[in-house]
Amino acid sequence: MCGIVGYIGKRNATPIVIEGIKRLEYRGYDSSGLAILNNNNELKVFKKSGKIIELERSLPAPDKTAGKIGIAHTRWATHGKPTTVNAHPHTGCSNKFAVVHNGIIENYKILKKKLESEGHKFKSDTDTEVLAHLIDHFAKKETDFTLIVQEALKLVEGTFGIAVINTDYPEKMIAARRGSPLILGIGKDEYFVASDVAAIIIHTKKVIYLQDNEIVTINRKKFEITTLDNEAVKAKISEIDWNVSSIDKGEYKHFMLKEIFEQPTSVRNAFRGRLVDKLSTARLGGLAMTGEELRRIKKIQIVACGTSWHAGLIGKHIIENLSRVPVEVEYASEYRYKNPIIPEDTIVLVISQSGETADTLAALREAQAKGARVFGITNTVGSTIARESDGGVYIHAGTEIGVASTKAFTSQVTILILLAVLLGRMRNLPPTFGTALIKELKNIPDKIQKILDKDEEIRKIAETIKDSSNALYLGRGANYPVALEGALKIKEISYIHAEGYPAAEMKHGPISLIDENMPVIAIALDDAIYDKIISNLQEVKARNGRLITIATEGDEFIKEISESVIYIPKTIHTLQPLLSVIPLQLLAYHVADLRGLDVDQPRNLAKSVTVE
């Protein structure tokens, strides 16, 4: 979950790698550090707890940090507290090698004990330092830099994306991966290593996505990729199709706010080119399934984590309603440990914004091991899930930097709606409804914009709840998962404890929490169960609960029982989640901002969860 950047070339490495980890700070921001081989081939390591700005402030004069080869790291702590000594890079006893690492060394205790018995002295509490000492250990036996790292990694159990530099080989850098993303960026007489293309997009758009158990040896003129068993690899060079403007905040105060306001575009991008008006259906060519294969599907399992899991719950409701295909939604973190039952003619959908979520990737592999056909829904071209899936769909949401996901969520829901229409039209969904749904889906981006235009109004409502300690979110049907997502958003970035509940279940326990200090945020839209949820909200009102309601434009009654109302445009019931979630995203954002919190980098979180 950490960020890695490396550079080797003709320029000064320090400003390049520092700028790179700044662009990766959303992946981890507990501590940071860099290691430089200076012009005298001396290894200089600088580390600091806290955010990258603290590292920058602690650096000596630029001439003291100059060098043509360097690595840097921004950390999300797993083993060891976020202290300066635990920050990366790590060095061994010889102080010749420096290592940065993303992942977890599962057998580090065994390796550490053995190395200590051989006289190695450890400084940190991290699992990563074991790698530095292992490399030191093999450097006493081997003279080839690549072979030294290969031999060290063969003893490692777990996941890693690493970059290594060495004073004995000042013209080389080594990088390798297993289960943790790593890319090689290709410039003119210079190369870059990074855990995410965002770190190097300003320098090059030509990249190679390293595969599991591959290692690359880099100098200023060339690179060579092999497996850890030293088999040659013919790598494919990919071209990044986005630019640096997508990872800048522009006029917005935070990335999260920018990404919320990008949703008219991101939702449109998700369905663009995938609607078949003539047949009142959708087209998802990335699934690579024939019409007959799609018709044979008897069951769908959706596997995801966090916000993507909430999208899956909405997908379950809509797919079952439109296609009558039963759907199960599973937490990826539990999936492979429960020995999942995957009946014949079942497909598995794995959903991950980054395409690198460790739990989701493990679930994908478990489903494939059981013979299932697995499809990925992801935002990231070239990601591990995209490569290892049997087919899939890109959501085309654009780069999402804010740790709390927003536009990826609505794009994921859009893709699941398209899948529901596709499967439904192959079964019993009438063309009249298919036509109406497609027509209305095209209107959704403009309706999202109408809600975004209420930003100042929503901020004023946020003022009234920003000092709350708890909140309850209520919804029914497909809007129950929206309530879950709203509660997650406010938890993630404002640190207010919040729970999402099916509105009718509130009286089976949570109602005991409701008093005049408890904000209750409810979704009560004009649909078939409107009267039912109004009854639930009356129960809140009777207990003096502070009711903030998301309601359909024109609903005057809702004002009578609500402290505040946020109106959203009317739409087809199937598409309601694409609208009802927008006010909840804005509400969470403004509450966190009014509390003076770091919206884009909330405590203890990271954007891409690449460890179990």
Side-chain angles (χ1 to χ4, degrees):
M1 291 166 65
C2 309
I4 290 173
V5 183
Y7 173 80
I8 180 170
K10 296 178 289 186
R11 294 187 280 166
N12 183 6
T14 299
I16 294 172
V17 296
I18 288 286
E19 176 63 24
I21 58 171
K22 281 183 178 179
R23 296 191 181 277
L24 297 186
E25 198 165 15
Y26 65 93
R27 296 180 68 101
Y29 33 86
D30 294 335
S31 59
S32 59
L34 76 150
I36 297 291
L37 284 182
N38 68 17
N39 297 326
N40 297 319
N41 292 336
E42 297 169 325
L43 180 65
K44 299 295 182 181
V45 178
F46 308 93
K47 307 198 289 187
K48 194 71 176 175
S49 62
K51 296 190 176 182
I52 295 169
I53 187 65
E54 301 301 327
L55 173 66
E56 285 188 288
R57 289 169 178 161
S58 70
L59 291 177
D63 63 310
K64 303 292 186 182
T65 62
K68 302 297 192 296
I69 176 171
I71 54 178
H73 186 273
T74 180
R75 182 173 185 243
W76 186 86
T78 54
H79 296 70
K81 293 180 180 180
T83 61
T84 298
V85 72
N86 286 336
H88 299 213
H90 287 285
T91 57
C93 295
S94 70
N95 208 39
K96 289 184 176 182
F97 298 90
V99 182
V100 290
H101 168 232
N102 184 13
I104 290 180
I105 309 302
E106 294 173 358
N107 62 334
Y108 83 99
K109 288 183 179 178
I110 296 170
L111 294 172
K112 184 175 181 179
K113 188 175 181 180
K114 186 174 189 307
L115 288 163
E116 285 177 327
S117 71
E118 296 175 0
H120 288 260
K121 304 294 184 184
F122 286 77
K123 305 169 192 171
S124 77
D125 300 318
T126 68
D127 55 334
T128 300
E129 192 182 354
V130 166
L131 284 173
H133 287 275
L134 269 180
I135 291 169
D136 254 352
H137 170 82
F138 282 101
K140 297 173 184 175
K141 302 179 179 182
E142 306 287 349
T143 56
D144 181 82
F145 189 11
T146 306
L147 187 58
I148 290 167
V149 178
Q150 281 177 323
E151 292 301 310
L153 293 178
K154 285 177 183 178
L155 295 182
V156 169
E157 296 174 9
T159 59
F160 54 80
I162 66 165
V164 190
I165 56 176
N166 178 358
T167 57
D168 287 343
Y169 300 88
E171 298 295 321
K172 284 186 179 180
M173 178 187 295
I174 307 291
R177 73 157 282 179
R178 179 196 295 154
S180 192
L182 206 64
I183 60 170
L184 173 67
I186 302 169
K188 185 176 180 181
D189 295 331
E190 61 181 3
Y191 293 95
F192 309 83
V193 171
S195 49
D196 192 310
V197 293
I200 61 173
I201 189 68
I202 62 172
H203 302 293
T204 182
K205 291 192 174 185
K206 292 183 178 180
V207 301
I208 293 172
Y209 295 95
L210 294 184
Q211 308 295 308
D212 276 356
N213 296 309
E214 288 184 352
I215 184 168
V216 56
T217 305
I218 315 160
N219 63 36
R220 294 172 190 171
K221 296 290 185 181
K222 65 178 182 177
F223 65 90
E224 181 182 8
I225 301 176
T226 67
T227 68
L228 290 178
D229 293 323
N230 217 28
E231 297 174 0
V233 171
K234 188 175 181 180
K236 176 186 174 184
I237 298 176
S238 300
E239 189 88 16
I240 304 304
D241 62 356
W242 49 273
N243 56 45
V244 71
S245 64
S246 63
I247 53 174
D248 286 334
K249 284 184 286 194
E251 63 185 20
Y252 294 94
K253 185 176 182 180
H254 296 99
F255 279 110
M256 183 180 178
L257 187 62
K258 173 178 180 273
E259 289 153 10
I260 290 171
F261 272 80
E262 286 175 340
Q263 286 174 108
T265 299
S266 58
V267 168
R268 188 177 285 112
N269 287 343
F271 67 69
R272 179 181 282 123
R274 290 167 169 165
L275 301 178
V276 186
D277 297 271
K278 188 185 297 185
L279 300 176
S280 307
T281 189
R283 178 195 300 113
L284 295 172
L287 295 179
M289 295 182 77
T290 65
E292 181 56 36
E293 288 174 322
L294 288 165
R295 280 189 289 273
R296 280 205 305 266
I297 296 172
K298 293 180 180 176
K299 188 175 186 178
I300 297 172
Q301 292 181 351
I302 296 177
V303 185
C305 302
T307 286
S308 297
W309 186 77
H310 295 157
L313 290 176
I314 295 170
K316 168 184 168 67
H317 184 94
I318 296 172
I319 292 168
E320 290 183 341
N321 187 41
L322 298 190
S323 73
R324 313 310 296 164
V325 175
V327 180
E328 294 177 354
V329 184
E330 303 270 5
Y331 282 114
S333 55
E334 296 293 325
Y335 187 77
R336 69 167 168 157
Y337 298 108
K338 59 176 280 188
N339 192 18
I341 299 169
I342 309 175
E344 190 176 355
D345 293 327
T346 296
I347 65 167
V348 178
L349 300 179
V350 295
I351 308 176
S352 165
Q353 188 280 137
S354 68
E356 302 290 352
T357 310
D359 289 319
T360 308
L361 183 56
L364 178 155
R365 291 166 176 165
E366 176 65 15
Q368 287 179 330
K370 290 184 175 295
R373 203 163 176 179
V374 183
F375 300 95
I377 298 176
T378 182
N379 193 33
T380 310
V381 176
S383 61
T384 306
I385 285 176
R387 294 196 308 271
E388 294 195 14
S389 296
D390 299 306
V393 184
Y394 288 117
I395 64 174
H396 299 309
T399 307
E400 190 176 66
I401 301 294
V403 166
S405 180
T406 51
K407 65 178 180 175
F409 173 77
T410 47
S411 295
Q412 289 167 352
V413 171
T414 302
I415 295 302
L416 292 168
I417 290 169
L418 297 183
L419 178 61
V421 173
L422 173 62
L423 295 177
R425 290 290 290 121
M426 289 184 165
R427 288 162 173 80
N428 55 6
L429 188 69
T432 51
F433 186 81
T435 298
L437 195 150
I438 286 173
K439 182 180 179 181
E440 178 61 7
L441 182 57
K442 293 176 182 178
N443 295 328
I444 289 295
D446 291 337
K447 292 186 175 183
I448 291 175
Q449 186 59 55
K450 285 187 70 175
I451 302 170
L452 295 172
D453 292 341
K454 298 176 183 287
D455 184 47
E456 284 303 317
E457 173 190 329
I458 294 170
R459 187 175 179 88
K460 289 176 182 176
I461 295 171
E463 284 269 14
T464 68
I465 65 170
K466 68 180 179 65
D467 296 321
S468 301
S469 299
N470 301 282
L472 188 62
Y473 284 68
L474 303 177
R476 297 191 72 156
N479 282 308
Y480 159 54
V482 176
L484 290 174
E485 176 62 10
L488 176 63
K489 282 292 149 293
I490 206 163
K491 269 187 285 199
E492 285 180 314
I493 62 172
S494 75
Y495 319 141
I496 292 173
H497 174 256
E499 298 295 336
Y501 249 84
E505 285 295 303
M506 173 193 60
K507 57 184 173 289
H508 298 290
I511 197 168
S512 66
L513 300 172
I514 294 174
D515 60 18
E516 65 277 5
N517 298 314
M518 170 73 85
V520 178
I521 297 91
I523 305 166
L525 302 181
D526 183 10
D527 56 27
I529 55 174
Y530 175 78
D531 291 339
K532 299 295 184 184
I533 196 166
I534 289 298
S535 296
N536 304 141
L537 301 191
Q538 293 282 17
E539 295 162 1
V540 174
K541 183 70 173 175
R543 274 87 182 164
N544 296 319
R546 300 180 55 197
L547 193 56
I548 297 168
T549 312
I550 313 299
T552 306
E553 287 177 347
D555 183 349
E556 292 299 317
F557 170 75
I558 205 73
K559 292 180 180 178
E560 298 178 15
I561 61 172
S562 302
E563 177 179 298
S564 302
V565 180
I566 303 170
Y567 286 110
I568 66 174
K570 185 175 179 61
T571 190
I572 294 172
H573 177 261
T574 304
L575 304 179
Q576 284 180 348
L578 293 173
L579 301 183
S580 59
V581 75
I582 306 298
L584 303 185
Q585 293 172 345
L586 285 170
L587 191 66
Y589 168 80
H590 286 301
V591 167
D593 187 41
L594 288 164
R595 287 164 72 103
L597 300 172
D598 190 337
V599 174
D600 287 333
Q601 297 174 358
R603 68 187 183 202
N604 302 333
L605 297 179
K607 182 67 177 172
S608 181
V609 186
T610 56
V611 296
E612 285 195 66

